[in-house]
Structures are given as C-alpha cells and as structure tokens.
Amino acid sequence: MTGILGGSFDPPHLGHMRLAEAARDELGLERVILIPAGTPPHKRLSGGAGERDRLEMTRIAAEGRDWISVSGIELERSGKSYSFDTVSELKKRFPEEKFCFICGTDMLLSLDKWYRAEELMKLCAFAAMARNDGDLMKIEKKAQELRKFGAEIFVIRSAPVVTSSSEFRSTLSPDELDPGVYEYIRRKGLYGVEKV
C-alpha cells in the first residue's frame, strides 16, 4: 500500500518527514508520495514560495529516504485541485496499486462533504492522525459513519505534532529544516531570509 501525503509544503520541514515515517511504520506502507498542493478548493495558499520552489524543496527534503517519492501531479493541472482528481490520476498511472490518503482529524471529519466524496472513498483508504484521545474518539465515531459509503479508515496513533506551514514560516527554525532545504531558502532569499 502506498501513502499519499499532500500539503502546501511551504516550506517542507522535518515534521512532515516524521509524519510520513509514522504513517509508514504504523500502516506498513511500502512508500509514501509527497504531493505539494496545487490550488486547494477551500483555502488560499499565501506563503512565500512559488510552485516550482515548493516542489524542489520537497524533493530536497525527501532525499536519502528511498521509500518517499515526490509528485508534482497537482502542479501540472490548471484550476482547483480536488483530491478526487489527484487520486483518480494516480490510479490511472498505477492501476494495481492500493493507495491510502493521509489526513488530519479535521479533514477526516469533513470527508463526506468533499468533492465526489463517495467515489473518492472507493478509490483509496484513509489514514487519520490522532494526536490525543479526544481525536481518537472523534475519528472512530466518524469512521463508523463513513463505512456505510464503503470507506476504509486507519488511525495513526503515534502521529507527531506537525506545525502548520504558516506557523512554521513565522519562526523558520533551521533546526526543523533539512539542511539542503535551508540552503535552498537562503540561496533564493525566500520567506524574508537574507539571500546569500
């Protein structure tokens, strides 16, 4: 089974890598695909890096982890990026592969309201991050509701706390960035870091 971990990755930081690793270890995933977001339907990307920079930084962050790959699938499409379209395209490219969409508690709780949700739930499994007992109870309750649509739901119980990219940009701690990513940020002068 292959995990799908999407996000703005603006910038990708070590918290993202820890989450991918927790999902791999708990679910026995063969690999995890990191997918930098295109144009999300429900929020505006307002970071300091363009699409090419986010994709390149994500590739740098994934280096040395042979079980992680990076896809620009959402950046190749124009218009809004819906998870249904992304997973459908991945299924076309890898018809024999079983996919598992890694998401947060809030995303899982609203899953039945997503674009073409019932069809999406038939295309892939879902793994929700439970950071505490409260999350775990919410996920289990929602999973029961979603199973009537044929959804397969897993729970990542040891999910690390992942700071949102917007919060992370406000501090931009080099300690939480792959050295190659921090060097890229400095070289390009992104996020207000002085260009070198």
Side-chain angles (χ1 to χ4, degrees):
M1 186 161 61
T2 295
I4 300 168
L5 180 58
S8 63
F9 297 115
D10 191 16
H13 52 76
L14 296 181
H16 295 123
M17 301 303 124
R18 286 192 288 268
L19 174 56
E21 191 167 1
R24 180 196 65 166
D25 293 347
E26 281 202 39
L27 305 177
L29 302 175
E30 293 172 32
R31 66 182 178 131
V32 176
I33 305 173
L34 303 181
I35 302 180
T39 305
H42 303 302
K43 76 173 187 179
R44 188 169 165 269
L45 293 177
S46 58
E51 291 181 352
R52 289 182 188 277
D53 289 325
R54 291 190 293 117
L55 183 61
E56 185 57 29
M57 286 188 290
T58 306
R59 286 185 174 138
I60 293 168
E63 284 175 4
R65 297 172 173 90
D66 59 1
W67 51 275
I68 290 184
S69 61
V70 178
S71 172
I73 189 171
E74 290 202 355
L75 305 178
E76 295 161 9
R77 289 197 310 263
S78 58
K80 291 184 177 178
S81 291
Y82 292 99
S83 297
F84 173 81
D85 296 331
T86 300
V87 176
S88 295
E89 181 60 31
L90 287 172
K91 289 293 282 183
K92 282 181 195 168
R93 295 182 188 186
F94 308 100
E96 303 302 315
E97 188 59 70
K98 179 176 180 180
F99 290 100
C100 183
F101 194 103
I102 302 164
C103 63
T105 301
D106 291 343
M107 290 176 75
L108 184 78
L109 295 180
S110 66
L111 179 57
D112 49 348
K113 297 176 180 66
W114 291 15
Y115 174 71
R116 299 178 75 169
E118 288 188 45
E119 294 164 88
L120 176 61
M121 285 183 255
K122 289 178 172 67
L123 284 177
C124 67
F126 286 82
M129 302 177 286
R131 292 198 181 111
N132 53 54
D133 290 340
D135 277 1
L136 184 58
M137 289 175 12
K138 290 176 192 172
I139 289 169
E140 294 293 358
K141 183 178 177 187
K142 190 65 178 183
Q144 287 180 350
E145 292 174 25
L146 296 174
R147 287 189 183 110
K148 67 185 176 192
F149 299 111
E152 185 177 11
I153 314 287
F154 299 101
V155 180
I156 304 170
R157 296 169 192 273
S158 64
V161 175
V162 179
T163 306
S164 73
S165 291
S166 58
E167 288 178 307
F168 186 79
R169 282 193 301 272
S170 67
T171 57
L172 206 70
S173 167
D175 295 338
E176 277 297 301
L177 287 167
D178 178 279
V181 171
Y182 189 63
E183 182 57 34
Y184 184 94
I185 289 170
R186 293 180 70 216
R187 196 168 70 247
K188 292 275 193 163
L190 300 174
Y191 311 116
V193 173
E194 189 174 344
K195 196 171 181 177
V196 294

mmCIF file with all atom_site columns, all heavy atoms in Angstrom, residues 169-189:
data_model
loop_
_atom_site.group_PDB
_atom_site.id
_atom_site.type_symbol
_atom_site.label_atom_id
_atom_site.label_alt_id
_atom_site.label_comp_id
_atom_site.label_asym_id
_atom_site.label_entity_id
_atom_site.label_seq_id
_atom_site.pdbx_PDB_ins_code
_atom_site.Cartn_x
_atom_site.Cartn_y
_atom_site.Cartn_z
_atom_site.occupancy
_atom_site.B_iso_or_equiv
_atom_site.pdbx_formal_charge
_atom_site.auth_seq_id
_atom_site.auth_comp_id
_atom_site.auth_asym_id
_atom_site.auth_atom_id
_atom_site.pdbx_PDB_model_num
ATOM 1   N N   . ARG A 1 169 ? 6.488  29.255 9.132  1.00 0.00 ? 169 ARG A N   1
ATOM 2   C CA  . ARG A 1 169 ? 7.138  30.368 8.422  1.00 0.00 ? 169 ARG A CA  1
ATOM 3   C C   . ARG A 1 169 ? 7.425  31.544 9.340  1.00 0.00 ? 169 ARG A C   1
ATOM 4   O O   . ARG A 1 169 ? 8.356  32.311 9.111  1.00 0.00 ? 169 ARG A O   1
ATOM 5   C CB  . ARG A 1 169 ? 6.261  30.837 7.247  1.00 0.00 ? 169 ARG A CB  1
ATOM 6   C CG  . ARG A 1 169 ? 6.330  29.951 6.032  1.00 0.00 ? 169 ARG A CG  1
ATOM 7   C CD  . ARG A 1 169 ? 5.701  30.628 4.819  1.00 0.00 ? 169 ARG A CD  1
ATOM 8   N NE  . ARG A 1 169 ? 4.315  30.982 5.013  1.00 0.00 ? 169 ARG A NE  1
ATOM 9   C CZ  . ARG A 1 169 ? 3.279  30.175 4.771  1.00 0.00 ? 169 ARG A CZ  1
ATOM 10  N NH1 . ARG A 1 169 ? 3.492  28.945 4.353  1.00 0.00 ? 169 ARG A NH1 1
ATOM 11  N NH2 . ARG A 1 169 ? 2.055  30.592 4.943  1.00 0.00 ? 169 ARG A NH2 1
ATOM 12  N N   . SER A 1 170 ? 6.607  31.700 10.393 1.00 0.00 ? 170 SER A N   1
ATOM 13  C CA  . SER A 1 170 ? 6.801  32.852 11.282 1.00 0.00 ? 170 SER A CA  1
ATOM 14  C C   . SER A 1 170 ? 8.079  32.728 12.113 1.00 0.00 ? 170 SER A C   1
ATOM 15  O O   . SER A 1 170 ? 8.633  33.730 12.549 1.00 0.00 ? 170 SER A O   1
ATOM 16  C CB  . SER A 1 170 ? 5.577  33.033 12.192 1.00 0.00 ? 170 SER A CB  1
ATOM 17  O OG  . SER A 1 170 ? 5.472  31.949 13.091 1.00 0.00 ? 170 SER A OG  1
ATOM 18  N N   . THR A 1 171 ? 8.544  31.505 12.331 1.00 0.00 ? 171 THR A N   1
ATOM 19  C CA  . THR A 1 171 ? 9.784  31.314 13.097 1.00 0.00 ? 171 THR A CA  1
ATOM 20  C C   . THR A 1 171 ? 10.928 30.822 12.218 1.00 0.00 ? 171 THR A C   1
ATOM 21  O O   . THR A 1 171 ? 12.079 31.178 12.422 1.00 0.00 ? 171 THR A O   1
ATOM 22  C CB  . THR A 1 171 ? 9.573  30.296 14.225 1.00 0.00 ? 171 THR A CB  1
ATOM 23  O OG1 . THR A 1 171 ? 9.103  29.058 13.670 1.00 0.00 ? 171 THR A OG1 1
ATOM 24  C CG2 . THR A 1 171 ? 8.555  30.799 15.227 1.00 0.00 ? 171 THR A CG2 1
ATOM 25  N N   . LEU A 1 172 ? 10.604 29.978 11.248 1.00 0.00 ? 172 LEU A N   1
ATOM 26  C CA  . LEU A 1 172 ? 11.560 29.406 10.290 1.00 0.00 ? 172 LEU A CA  1
ATOM 27  C C   . LEU A 1 172 ? 12.836 28.915 10.986 1.00 0.00 ? 172 LEU A C   1
ATOM 28  O O   . LEU A 1 172 ? 13.930 29.385 10.735 1.00 0.00 ? 172 LEU A O   1
ATOM 29  C CB  . LEU A 1 172 ? 11.912 30.424 9.199  1.00 0.00 ? 172 LEU A CB  1
ATOM 30  C CG  . LEU A 1 172 ? 12.366 29.783 7.880  1.00 0.00 ? 172 LEU A CG  1
ATOM 31  C CD1 . LEU A 1 172 ? 11.205 29.094 7.191  1.00 0.00 ? 172 LEU A CD1 1
ATOM 32  C CD2 . LEU A 1 172 ? 12.972 30.796 6.963  1.00 0.00 ? 172 LEU A CD2 1
ATOM 33  N N   . SER A 1 173 ? 12.664 27.958 11.872 1.00 0.00 ? 173 SER A N   1
ATOM 34  C CA  . SER A 1 173 ? 13.799 27.417 12.614 1.00 0.00 ? 173 SER A CA  1
ATOM 35  C C   . SER A 1 173 ? 14.635 26.481 11.739 1.00 0.00 ? 173 SER A C   1
ATOM 36  O O   . SER A 1 173 ? 14.130 25.465 11.251 1.00 0.00 ? 173 SER A O   1
ATOM 37  C CB  . SER A 1 173 ? 13.288 26.640 13.833 1.00 0.00 ? 173 SER A CB  1
ATOM 38  O OG  . SER A 1 173 ? 14.321 25.864 14.394 1.00 0.00 ? 173 SER A OG  1
ATOM 39  N N   . PRO A 1 174 ? 15.921 26.803 11.544 1.00 0.00 ? 174 PRO A N   1
ATOM 40  C CA  . PRO A 1 174 ? 16.787 25.921 10.745 1.00 0.00 ? 174 PRO A CA  1
ATOM 41  C C   . PRO A 1 174 ? 16.893 24.519 11.347 1.00 0.00 ? 174 PRO A C   1
ATOM 42  O O   . PRO A 1 174 ? 17.145 23.555 10.635 1.00 0.00 ? 174 PRO A O   1
ATOM 43  C CB  . PRO A 1 174 ? 18.147 26.631 10.774 1.00 0.00 ? 174 PRO A CB  1
ATOM 44  C CG  . PRO A 1 174 ? 17.856 28.039 11.139 1.00 0.00 ? 174 PRO A CG  1
ATOM 45  C CD  . PRO A 1 174 ? 16.628 27.999 11.997 1.00 0.00 ? 174 PRO A CD  1
ATOM 46  N N   . ASP A 1 175 ? 16.684 24.413 12.680 1.00 0.00 ? 175 ASP A N   1
ATOM 47  C CA  . ASP A 1 175 ? 16.760 23.110 13.344 1.00 0.00 ? 175 ASP A CA  1
ATOM 48  C C   . ASP A 1 175 ? 15.664 22.162 12.877 1.00 0.00 ? 175 ASP A C   1
ATOM 49  O O   . ASP A 1 175 ? 15.790 20.947 13.019 1.00 0.00 ? 175 ASP A O   1
ATOM 50  C CB  . ASP A 1 175 ? 16.649 23.270 14.868 1.00 0.00 ? 175 ASP A CB  1
ATOM 51  C CG  . ASP A 1 175 ? 17.827 24.030 15.452 1.00 0.00 ? 175 ASP A CG  1
ATOM 52  O OD1 . ASP A 1 175 ? 18.892 24.070 14.796 1.00 0.00 ? 175 ASP A OD1 1
ATOM 53  O OD2 . ASP A 1 175 ? 17.690 24.577 16.554 1.00 0.00 ? 175 ASP A OD2 1
ATOM 54  N N   . GLU A 1 176 ? 14.572 22.706 12.347 1.00 0.00 ? 176 GLU A N   1
ATOM 55  C CA  . GLU A 1 176 ? 13.445 21.871 11.913 1.00 0.00 ? 176 GLU A CA  1
ATOM 56  C C   . GLU A 1 176 ? 13.386 21.749 10.385 1.00 0.00 ? 176 GLU A C   1
ATOM 57  O O   . GLU A 1 176 ? 12.361 21.323 9.843  1.00 0.00 ? 176 GLU A O   1
ATOM 58  C CB  . GLU A 1 176 ? 12.128 22.438 12.443 1.00 0.00 ? 176 GLU A CB  1
ATOM 59  C CG  . GLU A 1 176 ? 11.828 22.019 13.860 1.00 0.00 ? 176 GLU A CG  1
ATOM 60  C CD  . GLU A 1 176 ? 11.641 20.498 13.994 1.00 0.00 ? 176 GLU A CD  1
ATOM 61  O OE1 . GLU A 1 176 ? 10.759 19.943 13.338 1.00 0.00 ? 176 GLU A OE1 1
ATOM 62  O OE2 . GLU A 1 176 ? 12.398 19.875 14.767 1.00 0.00 ? 176 GLU A OE2 1
ATOM 63  N N   . LEU A 1 177 ? 14.475 22.135 9.737  1.00 0.00 ? 177 LEU A N   1
ATOM 64  C CA  . LEU A 1 177 ? 14.550 22.031 8.276  1.00 0.00 ? 177 LEU A CA  1
ATOM 65  C C   . LEU A 1 177 ? 15.706 21.130 7.880  1.00 0.00 ? 177 LEU A C   1
ATOM 66  O O   . LEU A 1 177 ? 16.748 21.114 8.539  1.00 0.00 ? 177 LEU A O   1
ATOM 67  C CB  . LEU A 1 177 ? 14.783 23.415 7.642  1.00 0.00 ? 177 LEU A CB  1
ATOM 68  C CG  . LEU A 1 177 ? 13.604 24.385 7.634  1.00 0.00 ? 177 LEU A CG  1
ATOM 69  C CD1 . LEU A 1 177 ? 14.096 25.782 7.277  1.00 0.00 ? 177 LEU A CD1 1
ATOM 70  C CD2 . LEU A 1 177 ? 12.530 23.930 6.649  1.00 0.00 ? 177 LEU A CD2 1
ATOM 71  N N   . ASP A 1 178 ? 15.511 20.373 6.819  1.00 0.00 ? 178 ASP A N   1
ATOM 72  C CA  . ASP A 1 178 ? 16.627 19.647 6.226  1.00 0.00 ? 178 ASP A CA  1
ATOM 73  C C   . ASP A 1 178 ? 17.678 20.693 5.835  1.00 0.00 ? 178 ASP A C   1
ATOM 74  O O   . ASP A 1 178 ? 17.336 21.757 5.310  1.00 0.00 ? 178 ASP A O   1
ATOM 75  C CB  . ASP A 1 178 ? 16.125 18.888 4.986  1.00 0.00 ? 178 ASP A CB  1
ATOM 76  C CG  . ASP A 1 178 ? 17.229 18.150 4.283  1.00 0.00 ? 178 ASP A CG  1
ATOM 77  O OD1 . ASP A 1 178 ? 17.977 18.800 3.511  1.00 0.00 ? 178 ASP A OD1 1
ATOM 78  O OD2 . ASP A 1 178 ? 17.346 16.932 4.477  1.00 0.00 ? 178 ASP A OD2 1
ATOM 79  N N   . PRO A 1 179 ? 18.965 20.422 6.087  1.00 0.00 ? 179 PRO A N   1
ATOM 80  C CA  . PRO A 1 179 ? 20.000 21.414 5.743  1.00 0.00 ? 179 PRO A CA  1
ATOM 81  C C   . PRO A 1 179 ? 19.954 21.841 4.278  1.00 0.00 ? 179 PRO A C   1
ATOM 82  O O   . PRO A 1 179 ? 20.181 23.007 3.958  1.00 0.00 ? 179 PRO A O   1
ATOM 83  C CB  . PRO A 1 179 ? 21.313 20.678 6.060  1.00 0.00 ? 179 PRO A CB  1
ATOM 84  C CG  . PRO A 1 179 ? 20.941 19.659 7.088  1.00 0.00 ? 179 PRO A CG  1
ATOM 85  C CD  . PRO A 1 179 ? 19.540 19.246 6.767  1.00 0.00 ? 179 PRO A CD  1
ATOM 86  N N   . GLY A 1 180 ? 19.639 20.903 3.388  1.00 0.00 ? 180 GLY A N   1
ATOM 87  C CA  . GLY A 1 180 ? 19.550 21.234 1.964  1.00 0.00 ? 180 GLY A CA  1
ATOM 88  C C   . GLY A 1 180 ? 18.406 22.188 1.669  1.00 0.00 ? 180 GLY A C   1
ATOM 89  O O   . GLY A 1 180 ? 18.514 23.077 0.818  1.00 0.00 ? 180 GLY A O   1
ATOM 90  N N   . VAL A 1 181 ? 17.289 22.020 2.398  1.00 0.00 ? 181 VAL A N   1
ATOM 91  C CA  . VAL A 1 181 ? 16.140 22.913 2.213  1.00 0.00 ? 181 VAL A CA  1
ATOM 92  C C   . VAL A 1 181 ? 16.485 24.309 2.719  1.00 0.00 ? 181 VAL A C   1
ATOM 93  O O   . VAL A 1 181 ? 16.186 25.315 2.068  1.00 0.00 ? 181 VAL A O   1
ATOM 94  C CB  . VAL A 1 181 ? 14.887 22.367 2.951  1.00 0.00 ? 181 VAL A CB  1
ATOM 95  C CG1 . VAL A 1 181 ? 13.764 23.405 2.948  1.00 0.00 ? 181 VAL A CG1 1
ATOM 96  C CG2 . VAL A 1 181 ? 14.407 21.066 2.309  1.00 0.00 ? 181 VAL A CG2 1
ATOM 97  N N   . TYR A 1 182 ? 17.150 24.379 3.885  1.00 0.00 ? 182 TYR A N   1
ATOM 98  C CA  . TYR A 1 182 ? 17.511 25.694 4.420  1.00 0.00 ? 182 TYR A CA  1
ATOM 99  C C   . TYR A 1 182 ? 18.494 26.410 3.491  1.00 0.00 ? 182 TYR A C   1
ATOM 100 O O   . TYR A 1 182 ? 18.380 27.617 3.265  1.00 0.00 ? 182 TYR A O   1
ATOM 101 C CB  . TYR A 1 182 ? 18.104 25.561 5.829  1.00 0.00 ? 182 TYR A CB  1
ATOM 102 C CG  . TYR A 1 182 ? 18.296 26.902 6.499  1.00 0.00 ? 182 TYR A CG  1
ATOM 103 C CD1 . TYR A 1 182 ? 17.205 27.716 6.770  1.00 0.00 ? 182 TYR A CD1 1
ATOM 104 C CD2 . TYR A 1 182 ? 19.565 27.352 6.852  1.00 0.00 ? 182 TYR A CD2 1
ATOM 105 C CE1 . TYR A 1 182 ? 17.368 28.951 7.368  1.00 0.00 ? 182 TYR A CE1 1
ATOM 106 C CE2 . TYR A 1 182 ? 19.741 28.590 7.455  1.00 0.00 ? 182 TYR A CE2 1
ATOM 107 C CZ  . TYR A 1 182 ? 18.640 29.381 7.709  1.00 0.00 ? 182 TYR A CZ  1
ATOM 108 O OH  . TYR A 1 182 ? 18.801 30.619 8.297  1.00 0.00 ? 182 TYR A OH  1
ATOM 109 N N   . GLU A 1 183 ? 19.416 25.658 2.929  1.00 0.00 ? 183 GLU A N   1
ATOM 110 C CA  . GLU A 1 183 ? 20.370 26.236 1.986  1.00 0.00 ? 183 GLU A CA  1
ATOM 111 C C   . GLU A 1 183 ? 19.638 26.763 0.747  1.00 0.00 ? 183 GLU A C   1
ATOM 112 O O   . GLU A 1 183 ? 19.962 27.831 0.227  1.00 0.00 ? 183 GLU A O   1
ATOM 113 C CB  . GLU A 1 183 ? 21.406 25.177 1.585  1.00 0.00 ? 183 GLU A CB  1
ATOM 114 C CG  . GLU A 1 183 ? 22.490 25.686 0.644  1.00 0.00 ? 183 GLU A CG  1
ATOM 115 C CD  . GLU A 1 183 ? 23.263 26.876 1.191  1.00 0.00 ? 183 GLU A CD  1
ATOM 116 O OE1 . GLU A 1 183 ? 23.471 26.959 2.422  1.00 0.00 ? 183 GLU A OE1 1
ATOM 117 O OE2 . GLU A 1 183 ? 23.642 27.747 0.376  1.00 0.00 ? 183 GLU A OE2 1
ATOM 118 N N   . TYR A 1 184 ? 18.648 26.030 0.271  1.00 0.00 ? 184 TYR A N   1
ATOM 119 C CA  . TYR A 1 184 ? 17.851 26.454 -0.890 1.00 0.00 ? 184 TYR A CA  1
ATOM 120 C C   . TYR A 1 184 ? 17.119 27.764 -0.564 1.00 0.00 ? 184 TYR A C   1
ATOM 121 O O   . TYR A 1 184 ? 17.098 28.698 -1.370 1.00 0.00 ? 184 TYR A O   1
ATOM 122 C CB  . TYR A 1 184 ? 16.842 25.358 -1.250 1.00 0.00 ? 184 TYR A CB  1
ATOM 123 C CG  . TYR A 1 184 ? 16.026 25.647 -2.488 1.00 0.00 ? 184 TYR A CG  1
ATOM 124 C CD1 . TYR A 1 184 ? 16.426 25.168 -3.729 1.00 0.00 ? 184 TYR A CD1 1
ATOM 125 C CD2 . TYR A 1 184 ? 14.841 26.381 -2.422 1.00 0.00 ? 184 TYR A CD2 1
ATOM 126 C CE1 . TYR A 1 184 ? 15.670 25.418 -4.873 1.00 0.00 ? 184 TYR A CE1 1
ATOM 127 C CE2 . TYR A 1 184 ? 14.088 26.646 -3.553 1.00 0.00 ? 184 TYR A CE2 1
ATOM 128 C CZ  . TYR A 1 184 ? 14.504 26.156 -4.775 1.00 0.00 ? 184 TYR A CZ  1
ATOM 129 O OH  . TYR A 1 184 ? 13.750 26.407 -5.911 1.00 0.00 ? 184 TYR A OH  1
ATOM 130 N N   . ILE A 1 185 ? 16.532 27.836 0.637  1.00 0.00 ? 185 ILE A N   1
ATOM 131 C CA  . ILE A 1 185 ? 15.819 29.052 1.062  1.00 0.00 ? 185 ILE A CA  1
ATOM 132 C C   . ILE A 1 185 ? 16.769 30.243 1.090  1.00 0.00 ? 185 ILE A C   1
ATOM 133 O O   . ILE A 1 185 ? 16.438 31.336 0.616  1.00 0.00 ? 185 ILE A O   1
ATOM 134 C CB  . ILE A 1 185 ? 15.170 28.821 2.451  1.00 0.00 ? 185 ILE A CB  1
ATOM 135 C CG1 . ILE A 1 185 ? 13.989 27.848 2.331  1.00 0.00 ? 185 ILE A CG1 1
ATOM 136 C CG2 . ILE A 1 185 ? 14.721 30.143 3.077  1.00 0.00 ? 185 ILE A CG2 1
ATOM 137 C CD1 . ILE A 1 185 ? 13.439 27.363 3.666  1.00 0.00 ? 185 ILE A CD1 1
ATOM 138 N N   . ARG A 1 186 ? 17.970 30.039 1.618  1.00 0.00 ? 186 ARG A N   1
ATOM 139 C CA  . ARG A 1 186 ? 18.956 31.129 1.693  1.00 0.00 ? 186 ARG A CA  1
ATOM 140 C C   . ARG A 1 186 ? 19.418 31.543 0.295  1.00 0.00 ? 186 ARG A C   1
ATOM 141 O O   . ARG A 1 186 ? 19.579 32.729 0.004  1.00 0.00 ? 186 ARG A O   1
ATOM 142 C CB  . ARG A 1 186 ? 20.156 30.691 2.537  1.00 0.00 ? 186 ARG A CB  1
ATOM 143 C CG  . ARG A 1 186 ? 19.814 30.488 4.006  1.00 0.00 ? 186 ARG A CG  1
ATOM 144 C CD  . ARG A 1 186 ? 21.027 30.059 4.803  1.00 0.00 ? 186 ARG A CD  1
ATOM 145 N NE  . ARG A 1 186 ? 21.976 31.148 4.911  1.00 0.00 ? 186 ARG A NE  1
ATOM 146 C CZ  . ARG A 1 186 ? 23.306 30.999 4.907  1.00 0.00 ? 186 ARG A CZ  1
ATOM 147 N NH1 . ARG A 1 186 ? 23.830 29.797 4.797  1.00 0.00 ? 186 ARG A NH1 1
ATOM 148 N NH2 . ARG A 1 186 ? 24.096 32.029 5.023  1.00 0.00 ? 186 ARG A NH2 1
ATOM 149 N N   . ARG A 1 187 ? 19.637 30.545 -0.551 1.00 0.00 ? 187 ARG A N   1
ATOM 150 C CA  . ARG A 1 187 ? 20.116 30.839 -1.905 1.00 0.00 ? 187 ARG A CA  1
ATOM 151 C C   . ARG A 1 187 ? 19.087 31.643 -2.706 1.00 0.00 ? 187 ARG A C   1
ATOM 152 O O   . ARG A 1 187 ? 19.425 32.522 -3.484 1.00 0.00 ? 187 ARG A O   1
ATOM 153 C CB  . ARG A 1 187 ? 20.436 29.527 -2.620 1.00 0.00 ? 187 ARG A CB  1
ATOM 154 C CG  . ARG A 1 187 ? 21.292 29.690 -3.861 1.00 0.00 ? 187 ARG A CG  1
ATOM 155 C CD  . ARG A 1 187 ? 21.832 28.368 -4.377 1.00 0.00 ? 187 ARG A CD  1
ATOM 156 N NE  . ARG A 1 187 ? 20.788 27.533 -4.944 1.00 0.00 ? 187 ARG A NE  1
ATOM 157 C CZ  . ARG A 1 187 ? 20.374 26.385 -4.443 1.00 0.00 ? 187 ARG A CZ  1
ATOM 158 N NH1 . ARG A 1 187 ? 20.897 25.914 -3.314 1.00 0.00 ? 187 ARG A NH1 1
ATOM 159 N NH2 . ARG A 1 187 ? 19.422 25.680 -5.029 1.00 0.00 ? 187 ARG A NH2 1
ATOM 160 N N   . LYS A 1 188 ? 17.793 31.343 -2.462 1.00 0.00 ? 188 LYS A N   1
ATOM 161 C CA  . LYS A 1 188 ? 16.715 32.013 -3.190 1.00 0.00 ? 188 LYS A CA  1
ATOM 162 C C   . LYS A 1 188 ? 16.167 33.244 -2.462 1.00 0.00 ? 188 LYS A C   1
ATOM 163 O O   . LYS A 1 188 ? 15.395 34.014 -3.030 1.00 0.00 ? 188 LYS A O   1
ATOM 164 C CB  . LYS A 1 188 ? 15.554 31.029 -3.399 1.00 0.00 ? 188 LYS A CB  1
ATOM 165 C CG  . LYS A 1 188 ? 15.868 29.892 -4.338 1.00 0.00 ? 188 LYS A CG  1
ATOM 166 C CD  . LYS A 1 188 ? 15.628 30.314 -5.767 1.00 0.00 ? 188 LYS A CD  1
ATOM 167 C CE  . LYS A 1 188 ? 15.619 29.157 -6.715 1.00 0.00 ? 188 LYS A CE  1
ATOM 168 N NZ  . LYS A 1 188 ? 15.011 29.478 -7.989 1.00 0.00 ? 188 LYS A NZ  1
ATOM 169 N N   . GLY A 1 189 ? 16.557 33.401 -1.182 1.00 0.00 ? 189 GLY A N   1
ATOM 170 C CA  . GLY A 1 189 ? 16.046 34.529 -0.408 1.00 0.00 ? 189 GLY A CA  1
ATOM 171 C C   . GLY A 1 189 ? 14.565 34.433 -0.117 1.00 0.00 ? 189 GLY A C   1
ATOM 172 O O   . GLY A 1 189 ? 13.856 35.442 -0.130 1.00 0.00 ? 189 GLY A O   1
#
